[in-house]
PDB file of all heavy atoms in Angstrom:
ATOM      1  N   GLY N   4      -7.065 -44.557-103.002  1.00  0.00           N
ATOM      2  CA  GLY N   4      -6.896 -45.709-102.118  1.00  0.00           C
ATOM      3  C   GLY N   4      -6.318 -46.897-102.847  1.00  0.00           C
ATOM      4  O   GLY N   4      -5.485 -47.629-102.318  1.00  0.00           O
ATOM      5  N   ALA N  11       1.855 -50.015-101.940  1.00  0.00           N
ATOM      6  CA  ALA N  11       2.178 -50.816-100.760  1.00  0.00           C
ATOM      7  C   ALA N  11       2.469 -52.262-101.156  1.00  0.00           C
ATOM      8  O   ALA N  11       3.404 -52.881-100.658  1.00  0.00           O
ATOM      9  CB  ALA N  11       1.034 -50.757 -99.750  1.00  0.00           C
ATOM     10  N   LYS N  22      13.332 -57.133 -93.722  1.00  0.00           N
ATOM     11  CA  LYS N  22      13.037 -57.859 -92.487  1.00  0.00           C
ATOM     12  C   LYS N  22      13.948 -59.072 -92.357  1.00  0.00           C
ATOM     13  O   LYS N  22      14.455 -59.371 -91.271  1.00  0.00           O
ATOM     14  CB  LYS N  22      11.576 -58.298 -92.442  1.00  0.00           C
ATOM     15  CG  LYS N  22      11.242 -59.014 -91.131  1.00  0.00           C
ATOM     16  CD  LYS N  22       9.848 -59.554 -91.110  1.00  0.00           C
ATOM     17  CE  LYS N  22       9.494 -60.271 -89.830  1.00  0.00           C
ATOM     18  NZ  LYS N  22      10.470 -61.164 -89.284  1.00  0.00           N
ATOM     19  N   LEU N  36      26.484 -61.469 -78.290  1.00  0.00           N
ATOM     20  CA  LEU N  36      26.246 -61.061 -76.911  1.00  0.00           C
ATOM     21  C   LEU N  36      26.274 -62.263 -75.971  1.00  0.00           C
ATOM     22  O   LEU N  36      26.856 -62.196 -74.883  1.00  0.00           O
ATOM     23  CB  LEU N  36      24.910 -60.325 -76.793  1.00  0.00           C
ATOM     24  CG  LEU N  36      24.578 -59.780 -75.412  1.00  0.00           C
ATOM     25  CD1 LEU N  36      25.657 -58.808 -74.938  1.00  0.00           C
ATOM     26  CD2 LEU N  36      23.234 -59.088 -75.425  1.00  0.00           C
ATOM     27  N   ARG N  42      31.668 -65.899 -71.693  1.00  0.00           N
ATOM     28  CA  ARG N  42      33.130 -65.888 -71.476  1.00  0.00           C
ATOM     29  C   ARG N  42      33.580 -64.678 -70.659  1.00  0.00           C
ATOM     30  O   ARG N  42      34.758 -64.528 -70.403  1.00  0.00           O
ATOM     31  CB  ARG N  42      33.842 -65.898 -72.830  1.00  0.00           C
ATOM     32  CG  ARG N  42      33.656 -67.212 -73.564  1.00  0.00           C
ATOM     33  CD  ARG N  42      34.165 -67.191 -74.986  1.00  0.00           C
ATOM     34  NE  ARG N  42      35.474 -66.631 -75.169  1.00  0.00           N
ATOM     35  CZ  ARG N  42      35.955 -66.274 -76.360  1.00  0.00           C
ATOM     36  NH1 ARG N  42      35.226 -66.445 -77.441  1.00  0.00           N
ATOM     37  NH2 ARG N  42      37.162 -65.765 -76.464  1.00  0.00           N
ATOM     38  N   ASP N  45      33.824 -58.873 -71.419  1.00  0.00           N
ATOM     39  CA  ASP N  45      33.860 -57.486 -70.963  1.00  0.00           C
ATOM     40  C   ASP N  45      34.794 -57.330 -69.771  1.00  0.00           C
ATOM     41  O   ASP N  45      35.545 -56.354 -69.682  1.00  0.00           O
ATOM     42  CB  ASP N  45      32.457 -56.989 -70.623  1.00  0.00           C
ATOM     43  CG  ASP N  45      31.712 -57.903 -69.656  1.00  0.00           C
ATOM     44  OD1 ASP N  45      31.916 -59.135 -69.678  1.00  0.00           O
ATOM     45  OD2 ASP N  45      30.901 -57.371 -68.879  1.00  0.00           O
ATOM     46  N   ASP N  80      41.389 -67.057 -73.844  1.00  0.00           N
ATOM     47  CA  ASP N  80      41.156 -65.749 -73.221  1.00  0.00           C
ATOM     48  C   ASP N  80      42.163 -65.522 -72.102  1.00  0.00           C
ATOM     49  O   ASP N  80      42.744 -64.439 -71.970  1.00  0.00           O
ATOM     50  CB  ASP N  80      39.748 -65.652 -72.630  1.00  0.00           C
ATOM     51  CG  ASP N  80      38.643 -65.736 -73.674  1.00  0.00           C
ATOM     52  OD1 ASP N  80      38.879 -65.324 -74.828  1.00  0.00           O
ATOM     53  OD2 ASP N  80      37.547 -66.213 -73.328  1.00  0.00           O
ATOM     54  N   ALA N 106      49.367 -72.349 -63.108  1.00  0.00           N
ATOM     55  CA  ALA N 106      47.942 -72.023 -63.255  1.00  0.00           C
ATOM     56  C   ALA N 106      47.488 -72.166 -64.696  1.00  0.00           C
ATOM     57  O   ALA N 106      46.419 -72.727 -64.960  1.00  0.00           O
ATOM     58  CB  ALA N 106      47.689 -70.600 -62.749  1.00  0.00           C
ATOM     59  N   LEU N 110      44.777 -75.381 -67.011  1.00  0.00           N
ATOM     60  CA  LEU N 110      43.514 -75.035 -67.683  1.00  0.00           C
ATOM     61  C   LEU N 110      43.049 -76.128 -68.619  1.00  0.00           C
ATOM     62  O   LEU N 110      43.654 -76.752 -69.313  1.00  0.00           O
ATOM     63  CB  LEU N 110      43.663 -73.705 -68.450  1.00  0.00           C
ATOM     64  CG  LEU N 110      43.951 -72.502 -67.596  1.00  0.00           C
ATOM     65  CD1 LEU N 110      44.156 -71.277 -68.475  1.00  0.00           C
ATOM     66  CD2 LEU N 110      42.803 -72.245 -66.634  1.00  0.00           C
TER      67      LEU N 110
END
Side-chain angles (χ1 to χ4, degrees):
K22 182 185 180 317
L36 183 58
R42 292 171 47 195
D45 52 328
D80 296 331
L110 297 177

